[in-house]
Amino acid sequence: MGLLQDLYDDEDAGLDQTARLRSVQAAFRPVPVDTTGWTSASASRAAAGVSGDLAEIVVAPDGRSATLTLGDVMGKGTPAGLLAANLLGALDALARENPAVAVEGAENAVRARFERASAFATLFHARVRLADGAVEFVDAGHGFAAIGHADGRTERIASVDLPIGLQPRGFARLPRHVDLGPGDVLVCASDGILELPDATFDTLTDLAARLVAVPTLTDGLAAFMASAPERVDDDLTLVALRREHGTAGRTTPDGPEGSTRR
């Protein structure tokens, strides 16, 4: 073990703690979606070195769906970051499950630790069917997701459930559904977006509208972050997923694409 320990010890590898922290944080950032007809992007800025936000966008191994997740642990800095990593790991272990089952299972896995830490987290967790844009999601006390439609309409997705760690045992959260048509964008933010100068919930829906029109989501989120202060009072994380034009659409049994249903 001595040789391995020397090889992987941060100081012996020439890494200071700040550099090592940055590399670990980078490993927790979403990897852009690379699949036909869909694009994604993310951006983040921590208030205190380590972010208490968790985010992920990942395509399933069978290529049929993508999962978009954004959560926000109360507080900031290293304590919040540790709990965020714990929650993200629990969700990763349940990646094959539908959002309602995954969120319930993850909450059961982290509940005791969150209770001992007197903490809670808000969470938006969605599965997108890539063939037709059908989205199933759970919003656990989050309320910072929005859709920008290709026809210029926007809608914010309000939360109807309690955060992770506060939902009573045995009470399942409500699975909900939306549809993304060609050109539509789903964007989710942490609540740090409201800490930006002059920000309101319209800031989120305005961003959704802008992301419909930008050449790339990466450019759109970069422009938004460039307009934000270098130092933020609360962790700020953004994730976005866009269904590109030219992908086939359909009409669902619940109504036409682009309609919100419960």
Side-chain angles (χ1 to χ4, degrees):
M1 284 296 292
L3 178 59
L4 286 175
Q5 185 173 358
D6 289 343
L7 284 172
Y8 290 100
D9 183 85
D10 291 346
E11 292 183 2
D12 290 342
L15 294 175
D16 61 29
Q17 289 299 309
T18 300
R20 182 58 178 155
L21 179 59
R22 287 173 180 162
S23 67
V24 170
Q25 282 189 299
F28 278 84
R29 293 179 186 136
V31 176
V33 165
D34 182 16
T35 190
T36 302
W38 295 85
T39 59
S40 74
S42 65
S44 62
R45 188 166 296 164
V50 177
S51 175
D53 295 341
L54 57 128
E56 188 165 63
I57 308 173
V58 61
V59 176
D62 62 10
R64 295 181 179 181
S65 64
T67 300
L68 182 151
T69 304
L70 199 148
D72 184 353
V73 176
M74 64 171 288
K76 50 182 174 281
T78 301
L82 289 171
L83 292 170
N86 186 214
L87 178 54
L88 184 59
L91 287 167
D92 283 346
L94 295 161
R96 294 181 179 272
E97 304 294 343
N98 65 55
V101 173
V103 170
E104 182 179 13
E107 182 167 34
N108 288 337
V110 305
R111 184 189 294 272
R113 291 187 179 92
F114 271 58
E115 288 177 347
R116 291 198 296 270
S118 300
F120 65 87
T122 65
L123 179 70
F124 180 86
H125 185 63
R127 176 180 288 177
V128 183
R129 199 162 58 199
L130 299 179
D132 55 25
V135 184
E136 181 179 359
F137 69 94
V138 167
D139 189 306
H142 196 69
F144 287 91
I147 297 173
H149 293 286
D151 63 7
R153 294 178 297 115
T154 60
E155 56 181 308
R156 185 175 74 87
I157 300 173
S159 181
V160 296
D161 279 309
L162 293 174
I164 299 296
L166 299 182
Q167 184 86 348
R169 294 178 186 271
F171 286 82
R173 288 186 174 82
L174 177 67
R176 299 159 65 190
H177 301 81
V178 294
D179 292 298
L180 297 177
D184 290 354
V185 174
L186 173 63
V187 60
C188 193
S190 59
D191 66 2
I193 195 169
L194 286 186
E195 298 298 323
L196 300 179
D198 302 318
T200 67
F201 281 111
D202 289 341
T203 305
L204 178 63
T205 52
D206 289 346
L207 174 61
R210 290 199 297 273
L211 292 178
V212 171
V214 294
T216 71
L217 292 178
T218 298
D219 289 344
L221 292 187
F224 182 87
M225 296 298 283
S227 69
E230 280 297 320
R231 292 189 176 184
V232 291
D233 294 329
D234 194 5
D235 298 327
L236 173 60
T237 301
L238 303 165
V239 293
L241 180 69
R242 183 166 69 184
R243 184 180 179 187
E244 300 299 336
H245 287 286
T247 54
R250 70 170 175 89
T251 299
T252 72
D254 300 281
E257 282 188 322
S259 62
T260 303
R261 61 190 193 275
R262 291 272 299 270

